[in-house]
Amino acid sequence: MNLAVWIPLVTIAGTLLLVLTSLLNFSVFVRQLRASREQLEMARRQLENSRQQPEIQLVQRAMIETSDHLKLLVEKPYLRPYFYDNRKWTEGDTATRDEVKAMAELLLNNFASAIIHAAAFPQYPVRSVEQTIRIHLRTSPALCEFLIEGFGRFQVAGLALLYLKNETRAQIEADLAMLIAEAGQDERERSRRVTLLQHVRSTTEGDALEMAKYSLENARLPAVPARKAS
């Protein structure tokens, strides 16, 4: 076979080899591109999960804060009527007064924590928490009694709890007026309660969350130093 015949054959073979090499390179490129897309998708999911993690944690915290007392009620079911059925504690009940007060303290501390988190973090599922707290406060004389007696302990959440406890603004104002009268010789606490009452009267609209935000912002304000006598 002469050279004239071999040249076209070699050219065709070389062309086929180039085509085959190109196809192999393209296949490798496609696999690399697919792997890159999968890595980008994984990175996007991880980023999304990291963004959602704080929200998930807040939801979990809300569930804990509004249901942490249930395990105690399972252990001591005789306490349940004092927090669900509008029952007042009386002498001779199976539950002791200290047990009822301890449960009321646990519930209110958890509810106060939930309200503070709702005021501080927009992602906190506040509306469902508000409804839970409202139901308990309106069906539990023990909770209402502990809130009034220990109002000074709830510096941030106290006003919001009063909003959830009562159905009307007049009832809220009446509670605050009573709390002012019961402040006794504690001028600082009395002044704080007067300020809360003035704020309620000056606010035409507002709900528990807004009251919690107001209390939280005021709690963050630095104390004004007293002026030295000249």
Side-chain angles (χ1 to χ4, degrees):
M1 189 177 292
N2 57 28
L3 186 60
V5 176
W6 278 105
I7 290 176
L9 293 175
V10 171
T11 301
I12 293 172
T15 302
L16 291 174
L17 183 61
L18 287 174
V19 172
L20 181 60
T21 303
S22 298
L23 289 174
L24 289 173
N25 288 336
F26 180 74
S27 176
V28 172
F29 171 75
V30 169
R31 287 198 298 268
Q32 290 176 339
L33 180 61
R34 187 176 300 164
S36 298
R37 286 179 176 175
E38 290 176 354
Q39 290 176 350
L40 287 174
E41 180 64 19
M42 184 179 297
R44 186 191 67 78
R45 291 177 181 175
Q46 290 175 345
L47 179 60
E48 187 66 21
N49 288 337
S50 66
R51 288 176 177 175
Q52 292 179 351
Q53 190 63 29
E55 296 183 14
I56 294 173
Q57 290 176 347
L58 286 173
V59 171
Q60 291 173 338
R61 185 182 185 98
M63 294 176 64
I64 291 171
E65 287 175 330
T66 54
S67 62
D68 188 50
H69 62 285
L70 294 178
K71 56 186 178 183
L72 292 177
L73 291 180
V74 171
E75 297 173 2
K76 299 180 179 181
Y78 55 85
L79 290 174
R80 184 179 181 86
Y82 302 102
F83 304 97
Y84 288 89
D85 301 334
N86 225 3
R87 179 175 174 177
K88 293 184 178 181
W89 181 86
T90 57
E91 195 71 40
D93 284 353
T94 302
T96 66
R97 183 173 181 82
D98 287 341
E99 284 180 312
V100 175
K101 290 189 69 172
M103 179 62 75
E105 182 176 6
L106 172 64
L107 276 167
L108 281 180
N109 284 342
N110 284 346
F111 291 163
S113 176
I115 289 172
I116 293 170
H117 275 84
F121 302 104
Q123 304 93 333
Y124 196 89
V126 60
R127 296 310 171 190
S128 60
V129 170
E130 275 188 2
Q131 184 62 15
T132 299
I133 299 172
R134 182 181 290 109
I135 291 172
H136 277 286
L137 283 171
R138 295 183 184 181
T139 57
S140 174
L143 282 179
C144 295
E145 181 181 343
F146 193 89
L147 173 60
I148 298 301
E149 287 181 358
F151 188 76
R153 298 174 53 183
F154 304 104
Q155 296 286 305
V156 175
L159 184 57
L161 288 170
L162 287 183
Y163 262 71
L164 295 173
K165 168 184 175 290
N166 294 297
E167 296 182 6
T168 66
R169 186 178 294 268
Q171 291 173 335
I172 298 168
E173 292 182 10
D175 274 352
L176 284 169
M178 177 181 63
L179 288 166
I180 292 169
E182 292 181 354
Q185 302 299 318
D186 190 340
E187 289 299 325
R188 183 174 181 178
E189 178 62 17
R190 184 178 185 280
S191 176
R192 185 181 78 88
R193 296 177 183 186
V194 169
T195 301
L196 293 179
L197 178 57
Q198 291 172 344
H199 178 70
V200 171
R201 287 175 173 170
S202 65
T203 305
T204 56
E205 296 181 0
D207 56 14
L209 181 58
E210 292 301 320
M211 295 303 105
K213 290 179 179 179
Y214 166 79
S215 298
L216 184 62
E217 289 301 318
N218 280 272
R220 289 173 176 171
L221 293 176
V224 179
R227 293 183 179 180
K228 295 181 178 180
S230 56

